[in-house]
Amino acid sequence: MKKNLQSTFSPRQYMLSRDFEIYYYNDTFEDSHYYGVDSHAHSYYEFYFFLEGNVSININDEILSLKPGDVIVIPPHVQHYAKLLDGKAPYRRFVFWISEEYCNQLLQISSDYVYLMQQVLVTKRYIFHYDVIAFNALQSKVFRLIEEIHSERFGKETQITLCVNDLILHLNRTIYEKEHPKSAHEEQHLYRSLLQFIEDHLDEDLSLDSLSRQFFVSKYHISHVFKDNLGLSVHQFITKKRLAMCRDAILAQTSISEAYLMYGFKDYSSFFRAFKKEYGLSPKEYKELFSREHDDPSVAR
């Protein structure tokens, strides 16, 4: 996975950069460049995203087993070290270091940026687990940052800052929402509001990102709401609604070329494929069949 973005392991436990550093490691015990690290503490925050391996972590003399999807937050001056238990399995992780000074700068912008760090300092709880969907989303943000660091594009430094801040805010938001689950009543209200909004805006952008902005909740939360209530993804539900409206418009003598544009399909080929998959006939075949049934009631539906 993204081998060209991997970092060569270094036992160095101090920052060269003033604000942050990020690494993508993939090692085994037998690797000549992997030496492990003894118990240590930093003067900065460490975010450790565990991807794969047979590994335990020791934090203040408490030993904890890790599983893929674990996010570990190590505040400054907390003793810790990771131990590789099985050298045969790849040991993959992201390591993200952020200086206290940079965190303080973000705090001046909004306390939302440091909610997680403050929680860890108060509760002494250092490990948070992400499910597959949430962890994949987190990985995509990490890779976006690493790719930007490796790029030579115009505006690179500005984009890196945006990516770093976005990643930090994302971590804070996802953990906050996990720690503050909405009540069943609130969930149902959100679900009904989403259904109504989609119904009223089928001709507009209904991506998860746009719905997230509209309702001020994460797109991953919206995905879970739909899965829990319908067993469908948001995209599947919207596609079915759009197809039903297109079908009704076509049967009401709206031209096929007008109908698919009226209800949010961007091009005819995607509309055609979706319509045939849903109804077993092309839009033209469906319209002709209905017309024959209307002209001759003896034609079986």
Side-chain angles (χ1 to χ4, degrees):
M1 179 197 297
K2 311 246 182 189
K3 288 187 177 180
N4 59 316
L5 301 179
Q6 291 177 12
S7 307
T8 300
F9 179 77
S10 168
R12 171 177 56 85
Q13 295 300 314
Y14 56 87
M15 289 178 64
L16 300 176
S17 169
R18 184 185 67 182
D19 296 329
F20 76 91
E21 294 177 16
I22 190 163
Y23 302 97
Y24 170 36
Y25 293 129
N26 184 1
D27 303 299
T28 64
F29 190 76
E30 288 83 3
D31 287 341
S32 59
H33 60 266
Y34 180 72
Y35 307 101
V37 178
D38 293 331
S39 182
H40 61 282
H42 308 133
S43 61
Y44 46 83
Y45 285 92
E46 176 173 296
F47 289 82
Y48 173 105
F49 310 130
F50 183 60
L51 297 164
E52 182 183 10
N54 187 1
V55 178
S56 66
I57 191 164
N58 184 309
I59 305 175
N60 280 340
D61 294 326
E62 181 181 3
I63 300 173
L64 301 164
S65 295
L66 298 182
K67 53 185 179 294
D70 281 345
V71 172
I72 299 92
V73 184
I74 308 292
H77 317 301
V78 171
Q79 288 288 326
H80 65 283
Y81 67 92
K83 183 176 182 181
L84 185 60
L85 304 175
D86 178 6
K88 295 179 181 178
Y91 173 27
R92 294 195 300 121
R93 71 276 189 207
F94 300 113
V95 177
F96 183 34
W97 292 341
I98 314 168
S99 71
E100 285 191 280
E101 181 183 354
Y102 193 77
C103 289
N104 288 332
Q105 291 172 11
L106 291 175
L107 176 60
Q108 300 307 309
I109 300 171
S110 171
S111 61
D112 294 343
Y113 280 110
V114 296
Y115 163 81
L116 177 55
M117 293 77 139
Q118 292 172 342
Q119 283 292 103
V120 170
L121 288 170
V122 171
T123 65
K124 310 300 182 187
R125 177 189 171 196
Y126 304 110
I127 297 185
F128 304 84
H129 184 70
Y130 280 56
D131 62 30
V132 173
I133 294 174
F135 199 63
N136 285 341
L138 177 60
Q139 283 190 74
S140 71
K141 289 185 179 293
V142 173
F143 276 128
R144 182 184 176 201
L145 170 58
I146 296 174
E147 286 169 348
E148 193 63 41
I149 291 170
H150 283 76
S151 79
E152 295 299 333
R153 300 181 65 186
F154 173 79
K156 170 181 174 178
E157 295 305 319
T158 302
Q159 186 63 54
I160 287 173
T161 300
L162 291 174
C163 288
V164 168
N165 293 0
D166 179 52
L167 175 58
I168 295 171
L169 184 59
H170 178 81
L171 285 161
N172 282 275
R173 171 182 278 183
T174 51
I175 296 301
Y176 179 88
E177 290 178 348
K178 190 177 182 66
E179 301 292 312
H180 298 79
K182 295 181 180 293
S183 68
H185 175 75
E186 290 175 315
E187 290 286 297
Q188 282 302 305
H189 177 71
L190 173 62
Y191 173 60
R192 290 192 295 271
S193 298
L194 283 164
L195 292 181
Q196 189 60 57
F197 183 83
I198 289 170
E199 186 86 30
D200 295 340
H201 298 83
L202 284 172
D203 60 330
E204 300 177 16
D205 174 23
L206 291 175
S207 65
L208 274 171
D209 285 325
S210 67
L211 292 174
S212 175
R213 289 191 296 270
Q214 179 69 30
F215 288 91
F216 302 102
V217 296
S218 76
K219 58 186 179 181
Y220 314 107
H221 184 64
I222 292 173
S223 295
H224 282 300
V225 167
F226 269 81
K227 281 289 186 182
D228 290 345
N229 283 276
L230 284 177
L232 298 173
S233 69
V234 180
H235 175 72
Q236 288 171 324
F237 174 76
I238 292 171
T239 299
K240 285 180 177 292
K241 291 295 294 183
R242 283 175 166 161
L243 287 170
M245 296 302 292
C246 288
R247 178 199 61 195
D248 292 346
I250 290 169
L251 296 183
Q253 303 308 309
T254 300
S255 71
I256 294 172
S257 58
E258 287 181 276
Y260 80 86
L261 292 173
M262 286 170 54
Y263 293 106
F265 286 98
K266 302 301 181 185
D267 60 82
Y268 181 73
S269 61
S270 60
F271 165 67
F272 179 92
R273 289 193 301 271
F275 193 99
K276 191 161 187 178
K277 181 178 180 180
E278 182 74 9
Y279 299 113
L281 297 169
S282 70
K284 183 178 180 182
E285 291 168 339
Y286 194 95
K287 183 174 184 177
E288 289 174 348
L289 177 62
F290 180 85
S291 297
R292 290 200 304 273
E293 292 173 355
H294 185 269
D295 294 340
D296 182 1
S298 65
V299 177
R301 287 181 181 268

